[in-house]
Amino acid sequence: MEHRKRYSPAWVSAIALCACLSGVSPAMAKDEMPDHNPTVIADAKASDGPGVASPWSYSGKQGIGTAYEAYKNYQFSDTAVTGKVSKVWFSLAEGVVTETMYGRIHEAQIRELQIAVTGKGWTAFERTDTTSHVAYLHTDSAGRPLSPAYRLTNTDKQGRFVIIKDVFTDPDHQTLMVRVTVKALKGPVTPYVILDPSMANTSGDDEGRVDLNHLQAWQGRVALNLSASVPFKAANVGYTGTTDGIKDLATRQTLGTPHGATTVKGNIVLVGQLPTVTKTMTVDLAVGFGATTAAATTESAATLKAGYTRVLANFNGEGKAVGWEDYLASLTELKSLIPLSEDNGKLLYASALMLKTQEDHTSAGALIASLSNPWGDTVTTDVSSTGYKAVWPRDFYQVSMALAALGDRQTPVAAFRYLPTVQVKASTPGNTGATGWFMQKAHVDGTPEWVGVQLDQTAMPILLGARLERLGLIKTDELMSSYKTMLKPAADFLSHGGTVGLDWNHATITPPYSQQERWEEQEGHSPSTTAAVIAGLVAAADIATQAGDAQDAKLYGATAEDYSRKLEQRLFTTSGKVRGDDKPASYYLRISRSEDANAPGVLDDRNGRKGLRSDLMIDAGFLELVRYGVRPADDQAITQSLAVIDDQTLPENLRVRYDFHFPGSTVTVPGFRRYGNDGYGEGTEGGNYGTMSADQRGRVWPIFTGERGHYELARDALKTGGATAADIDAIRATYVKGMELFANEGLMIPEQVFDGVGSKTAHDYAIGEGTDSATPLAWSHAEYVKLLRSLLDRQVWDRNPATFDHFSSSSKVKD
């Protein structure tokens, strides 16, 4: 997570041909690896047509939603208890409906759906001219959300009207439903529905037509239809920025001369005029999707016929309907975690909903990173882009483990069974090299997108399988079967490496030296990657022993020992200069390109930031050594490194820790950047990510507040008798509460929050507020859930028992 650097597929192949790393490593030749995240997907650029290109929408989502779909035999099926599988997802931002997907979870069909309001001599648009608040439509008596259905209340900044919108999907049809209530406060107003389609995940090449009952758009084999519960008074389809009617609305409070159909493909906008409102009016909108406009219209009509009350009840799972209430009721540990929260379980319930919502409904278990395109409002939609709506095995592991922590007994199993879809095999199209490793990033159907090698992403599936068997979620026979087909090839790659042969990537990987660390930006030895690899190999050794594979069990165990024995030599410097050349300190490096941590080399330029000496770029990735059980929490190298991470007097660019204070709270919340010199974020001079300028700054990630809470628990657990109730309460009061404070009004936890350094940007961020990065980030919610479960168990949920028993619970001397 760049982390997730965005590349335009139209020119990325050129990068792959000319870009190269600036340093030679023992893992790969200098000219074999281009910049860190090129994609093999080469979707054609949509034609501009007569319309102006549009960007994606603001990524700071207030809410996301989809229908709950039950499995049948761990797969989605129209014959499951939830009936016909709905494949519609939506997001909300700045008071309006933003990217709405139909088909696969990354296939956006709507860019934005909002209401414009006209009055005598004025026009106002929801997104820019109102103050928005979001709430959950369906909650329990304590205010905990029971479904991802939302109410947006948008109040005109000049007090002329209020718009209330209830947003959810029809679980029995391919439909987005929006109930719109308009209240006129200072005289009559006329509302207009503005639908900006992005058919087939691009804004160009769309076609459309309208009449007084339908607003329609299509491209290729996908179409949408918006119908309302009342006829439109007028309707228009036009090209963005020219004939879309928006300018006429803004200047003359009218659509002007309406157009009924497009003449050529392009970037289009659909507008429908609703009846004038003197006091209050409620209208239901149903946006149906299908292969044709006729099919989409059938879906819209069915939803409108069923009506708001019935569709919402079915979505929620009220009465005899099976819906979101039923999913939450299936989580055996959900209620037991409420007392560990600081908000009486509100964020906990929202997190459970968010994690399950971000699963594709065609490929069961395909868990994505976020239902958003980070900094999407700065990137035009002329090329299809998944954004974060794709599978990274690292994020995937975090989410799977969080769902298991909640007591979900099915989704983690479906996820584990999905993993072969994204593992590189001899049969992977285009592969001519090593097998066993897992793709850096893939579409939910397994199509490779980014093909860098990240060793932690190859270790985590092994850890997941071992944990699911230990929890009784999969049988030993299934684990043994997966060992032969999936986990052994992964463990072999972690042991021996190999020469990759997929798309641009022809590097020779020599573990534990990784082509990319967990932030996907640099090659080398990394504490966080090495921690996962060691734990994965120990787990693989255990599985191999169970499978009767004594030879490989011995190999995996010995390899883990070797990686552990050389860990400090490679990564713990005793002469680090992050505090200045005259103040040498001892600490773990973020990453090193040599076998000697005191001579670690210089890192590459990334995200507009010039590469620095490795000992100047620190992070808290070494805490993963404690999380997985590779090192005890009181290990001297760990505690010395913490002192450096916590040093808030470091130079601004090298500093990692920032403490936050929120209005109405007395809690001091520790926050952490990914690493010093991070450039994956908005510029300190106001620009959004993507310009690759030297002022780009990676901000604070809420994930790390949770990671630190896990470390504090691991340290407390070393006490005689383990962590006390007072210890648990202290972690809750700081780290659990901190993550809750980072969540926005819709209980979405962001990827990054504003740290107060530099410009507040055009969004006028408050300190601690989510930025235009990915919100909600599934990993953020997963970390929160796992922290609660760890506190319940009084030991770290992700800890691999065999690794801990072998390395951390003994007094072995590491040489």
Side-chain angles (χ1 to χ4, degrees):
M1 290 187 267
E2 5 13 35
H3 186 170
R4 332 272 194 209
K5 195 167 180 179
R6 293 172 285 101
Y7 285 83
S8 171
W11 50 264
V12 74
S13 58
I15 295 178
L17 289 173
C18 66
C20 63
L21 291 178
S22 62
V24 178
S25 80
M28 62 207 74
K30 174 180 177 179
D31 60 352
E32 287 182 312
M33 179 182 167
D35 206 359
H36 65 307
N37 287 326
T39 173
V40 302
I41 302 299
D43 293 326
K45 182 177 180 179
S47 61
D48 293 333
V52 178
S54 300
W56 293 108
S57 297
Y58 182 54
S59 187
K61 306 303 182 184
Q62 296 169 289
I64 63 171
T66 189
Y68 167 64
E69 297 296 342
Y71 297 140
K72 183 175 183 180
N73 298 323
Y74 295 92
Q75 296 295 324
F76 292 114
S77 169
D78 290 345
T79 60
V81 294
T82 43
K84 182 179 178 181
V85 178
S86 173
K87 299 183 179 181
V88 179
W89 295 260
F90 66 88
S91 63
L92 309 172
E94 299 180 307
V96 305
V97 174
T98 52
E99 288 98 355
T100 299
M101 279 58 65
Y102 161 69
R104 293 284 189 173
I105 196 169
H106 66 272
E107 295 173 334
Q109 313 299 344
I110 294 175
R111 189 189 77 85
E112 189 171 275
L113 172 62
Q114 70 164 315
I115 306 296
V117 179
T118 64
K120 189 173 182 180
W122 58 267
T123 303
F125 296 87
E126 271 190 299
R127 191 171 59 79
T128 55
D129 298 319
T130 70
T131 300
S132 179
H133 291 285
V134 63
Y136 285 86
L137 266 178
H138 187 47
T139 64
D140 66 11
S141 59
R144 294 182 283 258
L146 297 179
S147 82
Y150 303 88
R151 172 163 289 174
L152 292 165
T153 301
N154 297 334
T155 303
D156 176 46
K157 293 176 181 178
Q158 297 187 39
R160 297 166 297 193
F161 62 88
V162 173
I163 299 173
I164 300 170
K165 295 187 295 190
D166 296 349
V167 187
F168 47 93
T169 64
D170 186 339
D172 299 317
H173 294 93
Q174 310 304 330
T175 310
L176 171 73
M177 190 167 200
V178 183
R179 167 161 281 192
V180 180
T181 298
V182 180
K183 297 181 179 181
L185 304 179
K186 294 181 178 180
V189 298
T190 302
Y192 293 79
V193 178
I194 301 176
L195 174 60
D196 186 348
S198 59
M199 305 306 299
N201 209 42
T202 63
S203 62
D205 289 337
D206 291 347
E207 300 175 80
R209 61 172 168 256
V210 299
D211 58 35
L212 299 185
N213 293 298
H214 309 92
L215 306 180
Q216 298 179 335
W218 65 91
Q219 180 180 328
R221 293 177 292 177
V222 65
L224 66 76
N225 172 82
L226 186 155
S227 292
S229 55
V230 298
F232 297 114
K233 294 297 183 179
N236 181 70
V237 56
Y239 298 101
T240 307
T242 56
T243 59
D244 57 16
I246 305 300
K247 184 177 180 180
D248 284 336
L249 276 181
T251 58
R252 298 192 295 154
Q253 293 75 56
T254 178
L255 278 177
T257 303
H259 304 85
T262 55
T263 54
V264 296
K265 297 177 180 179
N267 186 20
I268 68 173
V269 174
L270 311 168
V271 182
Q273 179 184 338
L274 293 170
T276 296
V277 181
T278 56
K279 292 185 178 180
T280 184
M281 178 186 69
T282 296
V283 176
D284 290 335
L285 308 177
V287 185
F289 301 92
T292 64
T293 54
T297 300
T298 298
E299 298 294 319
S300 297
T303 296
L304 290 173
K305 182 178 181 180
Y308 171 91
T309 301
R310 178 181 169 188
V311 173
L312 180 57
N314 290 346
F315 183 84
N316 293 338
E318 299 176 80
K320 294 182 179 179
V322 178
W324 280 107
E325 280 194 23
D326 300 275
Y327 174 69
L328 293 177
S330 75
L331 303 178
T332 59
E333 298 297 330
L334 182 64
K335 290 184 178 179
S336 68
L337 298 177
I338 294 173
L340 281 307
S341 72
E342 288 285 301
D343 67 351
N344 200 23
K346 292 183 178 66
L347 182 58
L348 168 65
Y349 273 58
S351 295
L353 296 171
M354 293 310 100
L355 294 173
K356 185 64 175 175
T357 290
Q358 296 178 101
E359 176 186 20
D360 184 55
H361 287 174
T362 299
S363 299
L367 303 166
I368 64 167
S370 177
L371 202 71
S372 65
N373 288 43
W375 293 283
D377 55 358
T378 66
V379 183
T380 56
T381 60
D382 53 353
V383 175
S384 178
S385 170
T386 59
Y388 279 18
K389 299 186 287 288
V391 173
W392 277 265
R394 181 186 309 102
D395 300 60
F396 181 98
Y397 166 82
Q398 309 293 346
V399 174
S400 299
M401 287 291 287
L403 290 169
L406 287 165
D408 184 331
R409 301 187 64 82
Q410 292 193 336
T411 312
V413 176
F416 182 67
R417 294 174 181 173
Y418 166 85
L419 278 168
T421 306
V422 293
Q423 186 175 33
V424 176
K425 300 177 280 291
S427 59
T428 299
N431 183 46
T432 60
T435 59
W437 56 286
F438 287 79
M439 291 179 219
Q440 177 188 357
K441 177 190 178 187
H443 287 191
V444 290
D445 65 358
T447 302
E449 188 167 352
W450 295 346
V451 296
V453 177
Q454 299 169 17
L455 295 178
D456 61 338
Q457 296 208 131
T458 295
M460 287 172 175
I462 304 173
L463 292 168
L464 180 61
R467 189 55 177 273
L468 295 184
E469 193 257 354
R470 190 179 183 92
L471 291 170
L473 298 184
I474 62 173
K475 295 181 179 179
T476 302
D477 287 349
E478 180 171 353
L479 184 64
M480 295 302 101
S481 175
S482 69
Y483 171 70
K484 296 176 183 178
T485 60
M486 178 174 68
L487 304 184
K488 182 183 181 331
D492 287 343
F493 189 82
L494 295 176
S495 300
H496 305 298
T499 300
V500 179
L502 189 59
D503 192 49
W504 58 264
N505 197 348
H506 298 279
T508 297
I509 310 300
T510 307
Y513 192 107
S514 186
Q515 190 177 39
Q516 296 175 356
E517 32 63 81
R518 71 170 174 167
W519 304 128
E520 311 194 288
E521 295 180 347
Q522 302 281 353
E523 61 166 304
H525 294 292
S526 155
S528 59
T529 296
T530 305
V533 170
I534 291 171
L537 283 171
V538 172
D542 276 2
I543 298 169
T545 299
Q546 286 182 273
D549 185 1
Q551 181 176 349
D552 282 331
K554 182 178 180 180
L555 167 67
Y556 303 149
T559 305
E561 282 274 8
D562 178 63
Y563 295 167
S564 175
R565 186 170 58 251
K566 296 175 181 175
L567 178 64
E568 283 75 18
Q569 167 196 316
R570 289 167 167 163
L571 285 163
F572 186 75
T573 180
T574 57
S575 59
K577 303 300 194 298
V578 72
R579 286 175 169 159
D581 291 344
D582 59 338
K583 298 177 182 178
S586 299
Y587 50 88
Y588 275 108
L589 305 170
R590 176 198 164 206
I591 198 163
S592 173
R593 294 185 173 174
S594 81
E595 296 294 300
D596 181 358
N598 288 324
V602 176
L603 299 180
D604 297 321
D605 299 352
R606 285 291 181 258
N607 296 320
R609 285 294 196 181
K610 184 172 179 58
L612 303 177
R613 289 200 327 263
S614 291
D615 66 325
L616 297 181
M617 294 173 66
I618 59 171
D619 75 350
F622 59 86
L623 293 182
E624 296 293 271
L625 295 165
V626 177
R627 178 189 290 261
Y628 292 118
V630 178
R631 293 290 184 269
D634 61 354
D635 184 277
Q636 186 176 16
I638 298 289
T639 58
Q640 287 179 312
S641 300
L642 274 176
V644 177
I645 287 293
D646 285 343
D647 187 349
Q648 298 187 61
T649 68
L650 296 178
E652 196 66 72
N653 183 46
L654 305 181
R655 178 180 167 190
V656 173
R657 177 168 173 165
Y658 290 78
D659 286 349
F660 291 78
H661 297 91
F662 292 84
S665 173
T666 60
V667 177
T668 297
V669 180
F672 305 88
R673 301 170 69 201
R674 295 190 305 172
Y675 57 84
N677 200 47
D678 184 7
Y680 182 57
E682 289 141 346
T684 55
E685 297 175 8
N688 258 2
Y689 175 79
T691 58
M692 297 305 159
S693 60
D695 75 311
Q696 286 183 190
R697 178 181 174 82
R699 306 284 180 175
V700 164
W701 292 50
I703 286 173
F704 302 127
T705 298
E707 287 192 356
R708 184 59 175 269
H710 273 107
Y711 168 77
E712 298 296 335
L713 174 64
R715 186 170 61 181
D716 290 337
L718 293 177
K719 298 176 181 178
T720 301
T724 66
D727 294 331
I728 299 300
D729 287 345
I731 294 170
R732 288 177 54 212
T734 298
Y735 301 99
V736 171
K737 182 65 174 178
M739 293 196 78
E740 292 168 359
L741 289 169
F742 283 134
N744 65 22
E745 186 181 38
L747 301 177
M748 309 283 105
I749 311 179
E751 177 186 68
Q752 299 184 41
V753 298
F754 183 58
D755 54 17
V757 177
S759 171
K760 296 180 179 181
T761 80
H763 295 286
D764 194 28
Y765 297 130
I767 293 178
E769 180 184 1
T771 67
D772 198 0
S773 55
T775 303
L777 187 67
W779 187 351
S780 297
H781 286 275
E783 187 67 20
Y784 175 75
V785 167
K786 289 192 292 181
L787 180 56
L788 297 185
R789 181 58 189 266
S790 296
L791 294 175
L792 178 69
D793 296 346
R794 301 202 177 188
Q795 69 177 35
V796 177
W797 176 249
D798 282 309
R799 188 179 78 186
N800 178 253
T803 306
F804 179 81
D805 291 344
H806 189 76
F807 291 107
S808 295
S809 63
S810 69
S811 58
K812 292 176 63 176
V813 175
K814 297 174 286 292
D815 54 32

